[in-house]
Each structure stands twice: as C-alpha cells, then as structure tokens.
C-alpha cells in the first residue's frame, strides 16, 4: 500500500501522538532514514511518499504516521523550512523596492543634472518608453505561443484588428496613462524625490474612491480610517516650513513646489481612474494581460507622439527627438518601460503587507538618498511625522482581519 504523508501542522492535537510501535519495524526503519536525511541538511520534505508492504493501514496507524512526521519536522532548522513561495515573496519585495526607488531617484537626478548642451525632452522619453513596452509585451506573447510566428500573428490579428471595439476601449486609459507619465517628469523636475514619494501615495485614496464608485467595492472601517490618516500625512508633508532663504529664492521655491504638487495631484487622480478602468476591462474579458498592454502601448504611442509635437514640436524639428540623451536618460526610459512589466510579473507573489513594506522602504531610501546624495532635500519635523502617518496608512489599508479559528477544529 502506498501512503501520502504530509508534514503535519503545529495545531495537531496530542491525542494523535499514539505509540508508533504499532506500525511495525519497517515503518520505524523508514522514520529513522528520514530523520538522518533531514539532519544532513536536505531541507524540509513537504510530502513523503512511502510504500508500505505490511498490509492496509487503519486510522490509528495513519494518525501515528502523521504524528511521527510532525516530530521529525521539528528537527529541521528554521532556514531550511523556507518554501519556494516564501523565497518568491522575498524576491518580489526586492524587485518592488528596487523599481519604485530607482525610477524616482534616477528620474529626479536626470531632471536636475547640470550638463552642457540641451536637456532631454520628457515627451520624447515617454514615446520611447511606449515603443520599448510594445516590443517587450510582443516578445512575451511570442513566448506564450511557443515562439511561433504564425501563432503570434494569429493572436495579434484576432485580438487587436478583428476586435476594434474591444481595442478602442483601451484608448481612454491609454491617454490618461500618457498624461500621467508626462506629469511625473514635471513633478520630479519641481519636487525632491522624498516629497514626491510621500505625496504620490495619494493614489491609494483616488484608487479607493474610484473603486467604490466604478466597481461597487466596499471598504471596511480600517480602510476608511487609513484614507483619513493618509490625507493628514500628505498635508503635513506639504506644509510650508519656515526658512531663512532670500525672498526671491523663497518665492521661486514656493512656485516650483506648487507646480510639482499640482502635477502629482493630477497624476494621482489619473492613476486612480485609469487603474480602476483598466481593472474593469480585464474583469469583463479573458484577454491576455500582455495583449492588453500592447493595445495600451499602441494608443499610448499615438497620444505620446501627438503630445510631443504639440508641446515640443519646434525643438524636435530643430534639434531632433533624441536631443540631450545620455546614459542616465536611457536608464530612465528603460525603467519606465520595463519596470511596470517586471512589477506585474511578480506582484502575484506579493500580498498587501509585502507591498506596504515595499512602499515604506522606498520612502525611507528616497529620503536618505535625497538628503545625502542628491542634496536637494532638507527634512523637517512635520515631514517625518507626515511620512510616518503615510507609511502607517499604507499598512492599515492593506490590513485584513483573519477570522478566528475555532479551537475545536483542526
């Protein structure tokens, strides 16, 4: 007889720890062998498949087997119990922190870097990011179809060309995302990275409000409380501080900060609406998320080129689309194009607590790097209080109460 023995949970009752001698000498030898394997550092065995040759097992024997397996699992070192899903969560945390922090800091650095010659056009960078995103998503669809050119062509024709109404639905969020990407450059040209990171968390508020109105989502008490704390924290971060700057410099700083704040607020509203609208479309159809991103990218490319010629057309015609580009600019474009796709690939392994940790670490890193490296940030007490409130609100919004487990149930 073959038995599948899983590693028992700590909640197993003592009543199942019966005398394992009833199972016979063969089972005892197998247990001893498994214990030796564990002691040699082979890691945790989630499922033990063992062939028993001494006849059928009754319920008492099965309980004893599970009890002995529990006793053996206690001998496994804590580090060896790290499951693949836990390792993926840790990798996801690192990816989220790296993408969120690096994009903001490098974009801020690229917009304030003093270089000879022309500065690169933000509208041009947005267009380049859309092109790279389309290429990357097409490659992913190509991979999902077993690297078949014919299958790739069939999917793109059927999902994009033969379904024009479904494709046109993506025009609205795509246009909003294009506006949002341009606004982020404006915001980081006028705000330091730390202030931007904290203020941009208002997208949680806008996303929640649009989710309630468009998706009929219900928020619990903790989530409503977190939104209130979030607004208070952002207000403290943006509270004007007393400084000993010259009147002209202070007026210029206040004006720049107002432009940056306005850009962030509009970006938060556009991010919330576009995100919820895109989520609604994904729930209504069964299309691949990569195909949807290709559709978004195509419209984004159209809107991006139109915006580039509308706002920077004269400079593009005089000095070209890639004026002012350098290595830093290329890194910014790649992070903006591929960062979102990387996050989309790992986000399924990250729960709300992990995303809260990523946001908190990103804010802290942005604060330290802005102060010590970029030297464009002078923190105040109100900023620290507001930042702590925003971090707490982020955790509170993702908090989920676990139902109480009845002691009588295993």
């Amino acid at each position: 007889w073959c038995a599948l023995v899983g590693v028992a949970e700590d909640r197993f009752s003592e009543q199942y720890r019966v005398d394992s001698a009833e199972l016979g000498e063969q089972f005892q030898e197998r247990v001893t062998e498994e214990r030796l394997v564990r002691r040699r550092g082979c890691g945790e065995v989630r499922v033990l498949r063992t062939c028993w040759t001494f006849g059928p097992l009754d319920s008492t024997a099965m309980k004893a087997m599970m009890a002995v397996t529990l006793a053996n699992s206690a001998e496994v070192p804590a580090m060896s119990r790290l499951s693949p899903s836990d390792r993926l969560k840790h990798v996801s945390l690192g990816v989220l922190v790296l993408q969120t922090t690096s994009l903001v800091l490098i974009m801020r650095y690229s917009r304030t870097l003093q270089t000879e010659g022309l500065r690169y056009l933000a509208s041009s960078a947005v267009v380049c990011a859309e092109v790279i995103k389309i290429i990357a998503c097409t490659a992913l669809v190509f991979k999902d179809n077993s690297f078949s050119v014919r299958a790739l062509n069939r999917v793109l024709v059927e999902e994009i060309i033969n379904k024009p109404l479904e494709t046109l639905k993506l025009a609205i969020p795509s246009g909003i995302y294009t506006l949002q990407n341009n606004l982020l450059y404006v915001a980081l040209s006028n705000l330091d990275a730390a202030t931007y990171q904290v203020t941009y968390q208002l997208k949680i508020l806008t996303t929640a409000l649009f989710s309630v109105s468009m998706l009929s989502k219900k928020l619990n008490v903790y989530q409503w409380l977190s939104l209130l704390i979030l607004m208070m924290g952002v207000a403290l971060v943006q509270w004007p501080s007393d400084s000993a700057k010259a009147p002209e410099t202070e007026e210029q700083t206040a004006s720049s900060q107002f432009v940056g704040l306005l850009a962030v607020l509009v970006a938060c509203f556009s991010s919330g609406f576009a995100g919820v609208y895109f989520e609604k479309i994904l729930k209504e159809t069964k299309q691949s998320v990569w195909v949807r991103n290709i559709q978004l990218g195509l419209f984004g490319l159209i809107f991006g080129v139109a915006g580039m010629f509308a706002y920077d057309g004269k400079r593009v015609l005089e000095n070209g689309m890639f004026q002012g580009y350098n290595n830093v600019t290329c890194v910014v474009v790649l992070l903006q194009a591929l960062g979102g796709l990387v996050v989309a690939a790992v986000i399924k392994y990250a729960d709300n607590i992990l995303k809260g940790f990523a946001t908190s670490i990103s804010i802290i890193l942005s604060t330290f790097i802005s102060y010590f490296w970029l030297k464009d940030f002078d923190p105040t007490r109100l900023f620290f209080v507001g930042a702590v409130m925003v971090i707490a609100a982020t955790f509170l919004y993702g908090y989920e109460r676990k139902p109480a487990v009845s002691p009588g149930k295993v």
Side-chain angles (χ1 to χ4, degrees):
W1 292 87
C2 292
L4 288 176
V5 182
V7 176
E9 297 288 342
D10 291 339
R11 290 177 291 178
F12 249 96
S13 175
E14 289 293 332
Q15 62 181 334
Y16 296 132
R17 295 181 180 272
V18 297
D19 188 5
S20 59
E22 299 176 7
L23 300 178
E25 296 180 358
Q26 294 185 25
F27 177 67
Q28 289 294 339
E29 291 175 358
R30 180 62 178 170
V31 169
T32 304
E33 181 182 354
E34 289 294 337
R35 185 181 289 112
L36 291 175
V37 171
R38 291 172 183 276
R39 286 179 178 176
R40 289 168 186 162
C42 293
E44 181 179 1
V45 180
R46 287 291 178 183
V47 178
L48 305 178
R49 181 177 176 88
T50 309
C51 290
W52 311 103
T53 59
F54 49 83
L57 299 177
D58 57 12
S59 60
T60 304
M62 179 61 73
K63 292 174 183 177
M65 288 161 54
M66 299 179 75
V68 174
T69 306
L70 171 63
N72 292 338
S73 65
E75 299 178 5
V76 182
M79 290 301 294
S80 66
R81 297 185 184 182
L82 198 61
S83 65
S85 61
D86 291 333
R87 286 193 289 269
L88 284 174
K89 284 187 177 182
H90 294 160
V91 173
S92 301
L93 174 62
V95 171
L96 290 173
V97 172
L98 180 62
Q99 194 274 335
T100 306
T101 309
S102 59
L103 176 60
V104 172
L105 290 172
I106 297 178
M107 188 181 292
R108 169 65 179 175
Y109 177 72
S110 69
R111 300 305 291 173
T112 57
L113 180 64
Q114 300 296 331
T115 58
E116 297 180 359
L118 300 173
R119 176 182 294 180
Y120 74 94
L121 303 176
S123 58
S124 170
V126 172
V127 171
C128 293
E130 293 297 336
V131 173
I132 296 175
K133 190 183 301 181
I134 293 173
I135 296 174
C137 290
T138 304
L140 290 170
V141 175
F142 183 54
K143 173 182 174 295
D144 291 341
N145 287 274
S146 304
F147 300 99
S148 172
V149 177
R150 181 177 298 179
L152 172 64
N153 182 66
R154 186 185 70 252
V155 170
L156 295 181
V157 171
E158 289 180 357
E159 300 295 339
I160 298 177
I161 299 178
N162 294 343
K163 297 179 180 179
L165 294 180
E166 294 293 328
T167 302
L168 285 173
K169 289 181 180 179
L170 275 299
I172 295 177
S174 178
I176 296 175
Y177 278 134
T178 304
L179 173 64
Q180 173 191 339
N181 291 333
N182 282 278
L183 287 173
L184 295 185
Y185 282 96
V186 176
L188 284 168
S189 299
N190 295 276
L191 291 176
D192 59 84
T195 304
Y196 165 83
Q197 279 277 53
V198 177
T199 308
Y200 194 53
Q201 299 310 310
L202 277 176
K203 64 183 179 181
I204 298 175
L205 171 64
T206 59
T207 303
L209 296 179
F210 283 119
S211 297
V212 171
S213 60
M214 296 174 61
L215 301 178
S216 301
K217 181 180 179 181
K218 295 183 179 180
L219 304 181
N220 57 41
V221 177
Y222 294 102
Q223 290 175 321
W224 285 113
L225 179 61
S226 69
L227 296 179
L228 178 62
I229 297 174
L230 177 66
M231 289 188 294
M232 294 173 60
V234 172
L236 289 178
V237 168
Q238 292 294 336
W239 196 269
S241 59
D242 297 330
S243 58
K245 298 179 181 179
E248 295 181 358
T249 305
E250 186 174 355
E251 182 179 354
Q252 183 179 3
T253 303
S255 176
S256 178
Q257 188 169 7
F258 175 77
V259 172
L261 175 60
L262 185 62
V264 173
L265 292 178
V266 177
C268 287
F269 274 95
S270 63
S271 174
F273 176 79
V276 173
Y277 187 91
F278 188 53
E279 179 183 351
K280 186 177 181 181
I281 292 176
L282 289 177
K283 289 182 177 180
E284 292 176 351
T285 61
K286 297 181 180 180
Q287 235 175 13
S288 167
V289 66
W290 305 125
V291 174
R292 285 300 192 187
N293 274 284
I294 293 175
Q295 294 171 318
L296 281 175
L298 291 174
F299 283 113
L301 180 60
I302 296 173
F303 289 128
V305 171
M308 181 178 65
F309 281 100
Y311 293 100
D312 301 313
K314 185 177 180 180
R315 284 182 284 183
V316 170
L317 294 175
E318 290 178 354
N319 301 295
M321 176 180 172
F322 300 102
Q323 58 180 287
Y325 271 57
N326 53 31
N327 293 334
V328 177
T329 309
C330 294
V331 172
V332 171
V333 172
L334 286 175
L335 285 174
Q336 189 176 24
L338 303 180
L341 300 179
V342 173
V343 171
V346 303
I347 199 69
K348 62 181 179 180
Y349 303 110
D351 53 18
N352 287 323
I353 296 178
L354 204 65
K355 287 184 281 188
F357 267 116
T359 301
S360 305
I361 296 173
S362 180
I363 291 175
I364 295 171
L365 287 176
S366 298
T367 302
F368 277 97
I369 295 177
S370 294
Y371 180 74
F372 290 105
W373 181 38
L374 298 180
K375 300 184 184 301
D376 61 352
F377 174 61
D378 188 15
T380 63
R381 292 181 180 178
L382 289 178
F383 175 86
F384 282 116
V385 174
V388 170
M389 293 179 69
V390 169
I391 292 174
T394 303
F395 277 101
L396 187 59
Y397 185 82
Y399 173 74
E400 296 178 359
R401 293 188 62 183
K402 296 182 179 180
V405 179
S406 175
K409 297 182 179 181
V410 177

